[in-house]
Amino acid sequence: MATRGLLGAVSRRASLLSVTRYTSTAASRSISTLVVAEHEGGCIKASSVNAVEAAKLLGHDNSITVLLAGSGPSLERAASSASSCHPSVSKVLVAHSDRFTHSLAEPWARLIQLVQQSGGYSHVVAASGSFGKNIVPRAAALLDVSPVTDVTQISEPLQFVRPIYAGNALCTVRYTGAEPCLLTIRSTSFPVDLQETGSKSNDAPISRVDLSTFEEESIGKSRYMKLTSQDTERPDLGNARVVVTGGRGLKSAENFKMIEKLAEKLGGAVGATRAAVDAGFVPNDLQVGQTGKIVAPELYMAFGVSGAIQHIAGMRDSKVIVAVNKDSDAPIFQVADYGLVGDLFEVIPELIEKLPDKK
Ligand SMILES: Cc1cc2nc3c(=O)[nH]c(=O)nc-3n(C[C@H](O)[C@H](O)[C@H](O)COP(=O)(O)OP(=O)(O)OC[C@H]3O[C@@H](n4cnc5c(N)ncnc54)[C@H](O)[C@@H]3O)c2cc1C
């Protein structure tokens, strides 16, 4: 058994950094935040609720508006779910147009620019998933400001902590640019207090975005072609309570099915290392790490994963980490709470056999 700690000890706080020029107006005026939200199946996504939670920390008197866009009846349902998703939401804005349905970055960035300029928000916040990472920097460019990305702590309205060097150092950033301050936040760092959200009901007003001045050329050059996705009942990797990850040690896509079966038994999501993705065992939306998804589940199980620094950057905040590797010197054991030196081809089938089926 090995214990967590080495990388934790290596971690250090670094202070940084003036982003751009200082304006006193941003610090003195009241705070109002636009949360750019995603929705799916008629519901606001959990990571967007985390973005609302982060926005709440920007200030007590913060007025929070959630922006949703797209078309069809699922958008209407998502708007009402946004209106009641968190007690801190003051208003929901909905942009009805097919242009936004497939999350193409150019129209979305223009939409944020339009809504920000008409609402005069001091902050714009989105979750740091592929959607937020795609659109927020473009919206920032249109608004002529620098975004602050991957925020993990908010201590003041314009002061944030974000990881650098694959999570080995934390950097304190004071935003000194012009308004608005655009942020992407790591959703796992802003868990929602379910007791608070459950006990205080909310029914924030919903209104439409006026798109009459939306310029057609902002549709841009990107075109939606098709969506390839797998129908699965497994929880979303970014928000799952349990994540079962396989690495190159699985050796083939066929063997990787063991990981899926174990995840099913545990009601968890499947993750993978970049080596497993590159070898074609699984699609790249399952990749965990610096260039993949950042996860922080209650339980993270890693099988045949060496524990490269880029992988650990994506899972080190998991509450309990279990690692199985046949190499006792594998770096994954330095961050594991429970480590087993063994052959995954023996351990996984035994676990699958002994665990009860998920009801
Ligand atoms: C810029 C950059 C960004 C990157 N981003 C990411 C990222 O986001 N995510 C990511 O994961 N990687 C990322 N990488 C790649 C990373 O450096 C590693 O190459 C990768 O994580 C290794 O994956 P792995 O642990 O599956 O493979 P390996 O390092 O090859 O490890 C396989 C492990 O399986 C064990 N094993 C083999 N057979 C068995 C068995 N039968 N039973 C038990 N154990 C067994 C071996 O002992 C070994 O420890 C990035 C690299 C770079 C340069």
Side-chain angles (χ1 to χ4, degrees), residues 247-248 273-274 287-291 304 306 310-311 325 343-344:
R248 187 162 21 208
T273 63
R274 179 154 143 185
Q287 184 178 317
V288 172
Q290 185 187 343
T291 45
S306 60
Q310 297 90 352
H311 183 76
N325 196 306
D343 186 341
L344 66 88

Side-chain angles (χ1 to χ4, degrees), residues 28-197:
S28 58
R29 54 160 285 187
S30 65
I31 299 165
S32 60
T33 305
L34 182 69
V35 172
V36 182
E38 290 176 271
H39 60 100
E40 192 175 53
C43 271
I44 180 170
K45 281 196 177 177
S47 57
S48 299
V49 184
N50 297 122
V52 174
E53 182 70 22
K56 188 182 92 176
L57 302 175
L58 290 167
H60 293 300
D61 57 350
N62 188 5
S63 150
I64 300 175
T65 299
V66 174
L67 172 65
L68 289 168
S71 56
S74 71
L75 179 63
E76 306 285 350
R77 294 202 307 277
S80 38
S81 98
S83 136
S84 59
C85 72
H86 195 290
S88 300
V89 174
S90 323
K91 188 173 164 188
V92 177
L93 277 179
V94 187
H96 289 262
S97 170
D98 289 341
R99 301 166 183 125
F100 310 118
T101 307
H102 301 298
S103 305
L104 292 181
E106 290 100 332
W108 263 94
R110 284 278 173 208
L111 175 65
I112 293 169
Q113 182 193 28
L114 177 83
V115 174
Q116 197 287 322
Q117 286 176 341
S118 57
Y121 300 96
S122 62
H123 292 72
V124 177
V125 180
S128 184
S130 43
F131 172 76
K133 283 180 182 169
N134 198 13
I135 60 163
V136 169
R138 292 168 198 258
L142 293 174
L143 292 161
D144 200 19
V145 293
S146 302
V148 183
T149 55
D150 279 323
V151 168
T152 55
Q153 278 177 47
I154 297 173
S155 46
E156 291 174 23
L158 296 176
Q159 188 160 307
F160 316 103
V161 174
R162 61 187 298 273
I164 54 172
Y165 304 129
N168 277 309
L170 297 173
C171 156
T172 301
V173 180
R174 172 158 276 278
Y175 180 75
T176 57
E179 276 192 0
C181 172
L182 269 69
L183 307 173
T184 64
I185 58 97
R186 288 222 175 146
S187 46
T188 51
S189 301
F190 298 95
V192 176
D193 183 341
L194 291 173
Q195 269 189 338
E196 186 196 347
T197 49

